[in-house]
Amino acid sequence: MFLKNAWYVAAWDHEITRELQQIMVLGEKICVFRSESGDLVALEDACPHRKLPLSKGRIKGDTVECGYHGLTFNCVGQCVWAPGASGIPSNAKVHAYPLHEKYGLVWIWMGNPALADVSDIFEIENYDSPDWGINRGAAMELDCNYLLMCDNLLDPTHVAWVHQSSFAADATKDTPLRIKKTDDGVIVHRWMMDHEPAPFYKKVVEFEGNCDRLQHYEVRYPSHALIRAVFTPAGTGGPDGPLHENTFIMDSYNFMTPTTEGQTRYYWFQLRNIRPEDEALSQMMSDDVQHAFEEDRAVLNEVQKGMANKTSPHIDLPIDGGQLRFRRQLQTMINEEREVDQQMAE
């Protein structure tokens, strides 16, 4: 089950054009395109006559013509032409989904359109700051449930085994975790003091010697994450540390869009507080992060199979505390939403 009254990422902004195309979000097939003025449009991808996907039809100005019998729909999903002389049936319409462009992404509201408020979209600090560099990569297709990736992004410990050539360090194995529940998600974090920087970060930090390192893993409902990495020279970190002028910060933004119960589309990019115009650094970081995320994908695809076909119960460990809290609260939200929908339908 999914939380419907929420914003999810539908696509990168450049992926939606004047061409009709189908996307899948929360198990729903959606036809997306841009109007002649460039506005975003998302319609239920099924003509109400015989359910041919509208994405298999034709775009005509700001309308979509079904490829089977020519029923034509405007940008709000209302049929404006149908064959025959008896007029347009009152039920000749398709659902229109609210869309919004922000941060180079297209966001889609999957629930009641009357509740869609763009101010609820995940806020990204420093996105337009000239002092922060950015790197990003193509969306990744995962053959696993989106909650497995949410689990992964509330689990700082896994890097010690999954990302040994990039994000791992000795301290990532057993430094205690702190868990904090917020109004919109869960945070798992820890400071690791006076140790050698992990391989990925050793290439980018602008100081020599050991570091104090913060792992801040935060996932917000329904499935958006901020992973903040802070590296500062040893002796300047910690919750009350002064932080050195050469402190390196990388904010990794991760947006998991469930396409089906067993598949997820994963969008990501990083912001960094150093060398914003350095394209070589951006490319290196994108390549290395992509490699690390491929390691995650390989593991989580197998976890999906293992959990779906398990012949004995799985166990939880103390390090799973953040994940379990997130899942419990999200399920409560889904249950409450479903109860409200049922009451309104009665």
Side-chain angles (χ1 to χ4, degrees), residues 18-324:
R18 285 286 288 162
E19 299 293 324
L20 299 176
Q21 58 179 304
Q22 182 186 95
I23 63 172
M24 181 85 78
V25 181
L26 309 193
E28 299 180 25
K29 295 177 180 178
I30 303 167
C31 175
V32 295
F33 64 98
R34 290 186 183 271
S35 69
E36 289 185 314
S37 62
D39 293 334
L40 294 161
V41 182
L43 302 176
E44 175 188 356
D45 199 15
C47 177
H49 178 223
R50 289 295 183 265
K51 300 301 182 180
L52 180 74
L54 292 179
S55 59
K56 299 295 184 181
R58 304 169 189 85
I59 190 167
K60 291 193 169 182
D62 283 345
T63 63
V64 178
E65 179 186 79
C66 176
Y68 196 10
H69 293 96
L71 280 77
T72 304
F73 300 85
N74 62 19
C75 292
V76 296
Q78 182 61 51
C79 182
V80 295
W81 187 89
S86 58
I88 299 172
S90 60
N91 57 353
K93 55 187 176 183
V94 294
H95 181 73
Y97 300 79
L99 294 176
H100 187 72
E101 276 184 272
K102 197 172 186 181
Y103 310 126
L105 297 165
V106 175
W107 300 79
I108 187 166
W109 182 268
M110 295 299 296
N112 183 347
L115 301 178
D117 183 348
V118 298
S119 67
D120 291 333
I121 291 175
F122 194 109
E123 191 68 28
I124 296 180
E125 186 180 5
N126 298 311
Y127 182 81
D128 292 318
S129 172
D131 298 325
W132 287 67
I134 187 169
N135 60 281
R136 69 186 87 203
M140 296 177 63
E141 304 292 341
L142 309 176
D143 291 327
C144 68
N145 184 274
Y146 74 108
L147 288 175
L148 290 179
M149 180 53 83
C150 291
D151 289 347
N152 195 65
L153 295 173
L154 281 170
D155 176 20
T157 304
H158 83 276
V159 303
W161 291 273
V162 178
H163 305 304
Q164 294 186 354
S165 65
S166 53
F167 302 148
D170 287 343
T172 58
K173 292 182 178 180
D174 52 20
T175 301
L177 301 170
R178 295 182 178 272
I179 301 172
K180 178 183 178 181
K181 185 178 178 181
T182 68
D183 291 339
D184 54 7
V186 173
I187 298 171
V188 178
H189 63 105
R190 61 183 173 185
W191 274 99
M192 297 167 290
M193 312 301 286
D194 194 12
H195 68 90
E196 186 177 4
F200 170 83
Y201 298 103
K202 197 170 187 178
K203 294 187 290 185
V204 297
V205 296
E206 298 182 333
F207 58 84
E208 299 294 331
N210 283 1
C211 70
D212 296 337
R213 173 184 180 182
L214 171 68
Q215 283 183 304
H216 174 103
Y217 280 44
E218 177 178 356
V219 182
R220 301 179 194 171
Y221 311 115
S223 52
H224 311 318
L226 162 62
I227 310 301
R228 171 165 291 164
V230 177
F231 286 78
T232 187
T236 64
D240 302 316
L243 296 184
H244 193 273
E245 62 179 5
N246 287 336
T247 294
F248 171 75
I249 302 173
M250 185 178 82
D251 287 340
S252 179
Y253 291 93
N254 309 263
F255 306 102
M256 286 66 69
T257 299
T259 49
T260 67
E261 284 286 351
Q263 294 177 310
T264 302
R265 198 166 196 229
Y266 179 25
Y267 300 84
W268 58 272
F269 59 83
Q270 283 81 39
L271 295 174
R272 64 179 186 273
N273 69 332
I274 64 168
R275 295 152 56 188
E277 304 299 329
D278 191 333
E279 294 185 5
L281 176 60
S282 295
Q283 187 62 57
M284 183 273 288
M285 292 180 67
S286 292
D287 292 343
D288 285 4
V289 169
Q290 180 78 49
H291 175 74
F293 287 173
E294 290 291 348
E295 293 172 332
D296 285 321
R297 172 159 60 178
V299 168
L300 295 179
N301 286 355
E302 293 302 318
V303 169
Q304 173 74 25
K305 296 175 186 176
M307 295 291 278
N309 301 293
K310 61 186 177 183
T311 57
S312 60
H314 72 274
I315 65 171
D316 295 315
L317 300 174
I319 59 174
D320 301 320
Q323 308 162 26
L324 296 175

